Amino acid sequence: MAWTIGNYALSQEQMNANALEVYKYLSARGWSLNAIAGLLGNMQSESYVNPGVWQSLQANNYSGGFGLVQWTPATNYTDWARQDGYDIADPNGQLYWIDTLSESTGQWIPTSAYNMSWSAFKKSGSSPEDLASAFLKNFERAGVEVESNRRSQARSYFNLLGQYGKNAKAVESAVQWAIGIANDNSHGYDQGSRWGPDYDCSSLLITAYQQAGIKVKDAGATYTGNMYSTFLACGFEDVTGFVNLSNGSGIKRGDILLNTASHTAMSIGNGQVVQASQNEFGGATGGQTGDQTGREIWCTNYYNFPWNYVLRLSHSESGGSSGGASAYIVKWIPG
């Protein structure tokens, strides 16, 4: 995923993608899902969750608001950003400021209705709706509140990002299971006992995600020829157009690499894949149970089989920006 940044109102799809980036950044710093959702409920009303937007779309009006939380005047944020080496629209700088400077700068002021410290807010397990109100009253102090909208938006982001968290865990479970099978030589390649203890290329990956809670086998995935349609029906996305099949650039941990006619493998990150290749006799069946060669089910460097498709579980991208003055990816900047 990537940020969409510009002085422009965003679609809900674009706001959701930006919200995912906010979640990845702040959850890595200990924020609760509830607090992130409460923050995002406000960001949607303030800025379309868009780090590059100016108040009323009046570019360079520094006396008005700017950025994810519409710092007003904009110089309350932009002066600091420039001094610390950030482009003013860099979301890393804005999220860093929100996370670390909200209280010390006096932007966060506890009210009698929401009498909590900034650190308590960030880790709170209160409802997303109440935390949206807390952020509104203690941080934004908006002239036009429309509090009910902020609360309902917070609930929507809570639901959206909760699914992201679930799927990220499923990806890691699937990867770890497949690596575990590859490292255990009691499991080998065989199409005659392909659902255990041995596996073939497709049953290995179908079982990896099935045991991780993504019920692709129950939905009808049985071999490479029907994996594409079934995995999509179970929440995967076709990201083939966003990666480089020749060298693997853009492929992420847990991605399914699929040639629908004959083979499939799973990316485990760091330029490697796990796969079931062939039994010790070089055929589909007839070998002994278990891995006799160490390469019946194994981890190896990425290669292009060639693959027809790369499938990724929706909202399961791992990792995030580390903060500081690191670069950020812009998906689209409107003119």
Side-chain angles (χ1 to χ4, degrees):
M1 303 297 287
W3 283 93
T4 300
I5 303 172
N7 190 31
Y8 193 84
L10 302 187
S11 69
Q12 189 63 58
E13 181 181 4
Q14 291 166 332
M15 287 190 286
N16 288 348
N18 281 5
L20 181 56
E21 299 301 324
V22 172
Y23 174 83
K24 288 191 288 187
Y25 186 103
L26 294 178
S27 63
R29 287 154 180 77
W31 283 54
S32 69
L33 172 59
N34 307 51
I36 295 170
L39 170 67
L40 285 165
N42 281 273
M43 283 183 175
Q44 178 166 334
S45 291
E46 294 289 330
S47 67
Y48 314 102
V49 199
N50 182 347
V53 78
W54 295 82
Q55 184 177 354
S56 303
L57 305 183
Q58 295 180 10
N60 302 314
N61 177 18
Y62 286 89
S63 63
F66 175 75
L68 288 169
V69 291
Q70 289 292 283
W71 284 274
T72 305
T75 50
N76 285 349
Y77 172 73
T78 59
D79 286 352
W80 173 89
R82 289 183 173 122
Q83 180 179 343
D84 277 51
Y86 289 100
D87 182 285
I88 63 170
D90 184 343
N92 293 319
Q94 295 189 24
L95 292 172
Y96 176 84
W97 195 103
I98 292 167
D99 181 38
T100 62
L101 300 177
S102 291
E103 195 163 44
S104 63
T105 59
Q107 183 66 46
W108 179 267
I109 304 173
T111 56
S112 58
Y114 298 98
N115 189 17
M116 63 175 71
S117 68
W118 179 237
S119 60
F121 171 85
K122 294 192 293 183
K123 297 181 183 299
S124 179
S126 296
S127 73
E129 291 87 351
D130 282 350
L131 293 174
S133 292
F135 192 83
L136 169 62
K137 302 297 185 180
N138 294 2
F139 184 105
E140 291 291 356
R141 298 180 286 279
V144 180
E145 291 189 341
V146 196
E147 185 174 355
S148 61
N149 285 358
R150 297 171 192 251
R151 290 173 65 91
S152 63
Q153 288 159 185
R155 174 56 62 177
S156 295
Y157 286 116
F158 180 83
N159 293 338
L160 172 73
L161 298 172
Q163 184 64 31
Y164 162 79
K166 173 186 173 183
N167 284 353
K169 291 176 183 176
V171 166
E172 192 58 27
S173 174
V175 169
Q176 292 291 346
W177 183 89
I179 292 173
I181 294 294
N183 290 339
D184 181 352
N185 286 338
S186 68
H187 304 282
Y189 182 103
D190 196 280
Q191 292 184 1
S193 55
R194 62 193 293 263
W195 297 109
D198 295 330
Y199 300 90
D200 66 3
C201 65
S202 57
S203 67
L204 176 73
L205 305 191
I206 291 166
T207 305
Y209 271 106
Q210 176 81 12
Q211 66 80 38
I214 309 300
K215 302 300 185 180
V216 289
K217 184 180 180 184
D218 291 351
T222 56
Y223 75 114
T224 55
N226 62 20
M227 282 178 64
Y228 181 82
S229 59
T230 308
F231 273 58
L232 290 186
C234 291
F236 284 74
E237 296 175 316
D238 182 345
V239 297
T240 314
F242 300 97
V243 304
N244 186 322
L245 294 175
S246 339
N247 60 22
S249 175
I251 292 174
K252 296 180 179 291
R253 187 172 172 91
D255 285 359
I256 298 294
L257 314 173
L258 181 62
N259 179 300
T260 54
S262 55
H263 191 46
T264 186
M266 179 194 290
S267 168
I268 58 174
N270 297 319
Q272 292 191 308
V273 301
V274 60
Q275 63 179 357
S277 301
Q278 59 180 335
N279 70 25
E280 67 271 25
F281 293 129
T285 59
Q288 299 178 49
T289 294
D291 194 334
Q292 314 305 313
T293 67
R295 292 192 173 188
E296 294 187 40
I297 303 177
W298 60 310
C299 299
T300 186
N301 291 332
Y302 174 82
Y303 65 99
N304 188 7
F305 181 76
W307 309 116
N308 304 127
Y309 302 106
V310 178
L311 306 181
R312 179 174 301 156
L313 191 57
S314 298
H315 305 309
S316 62
E317 297 86 346
S318 61
S321 301
S322 59
S326 56
Y328 56 92
I329 299 172
V330 179
K331 183 177 179 183
W332 166 64
I333 302 179

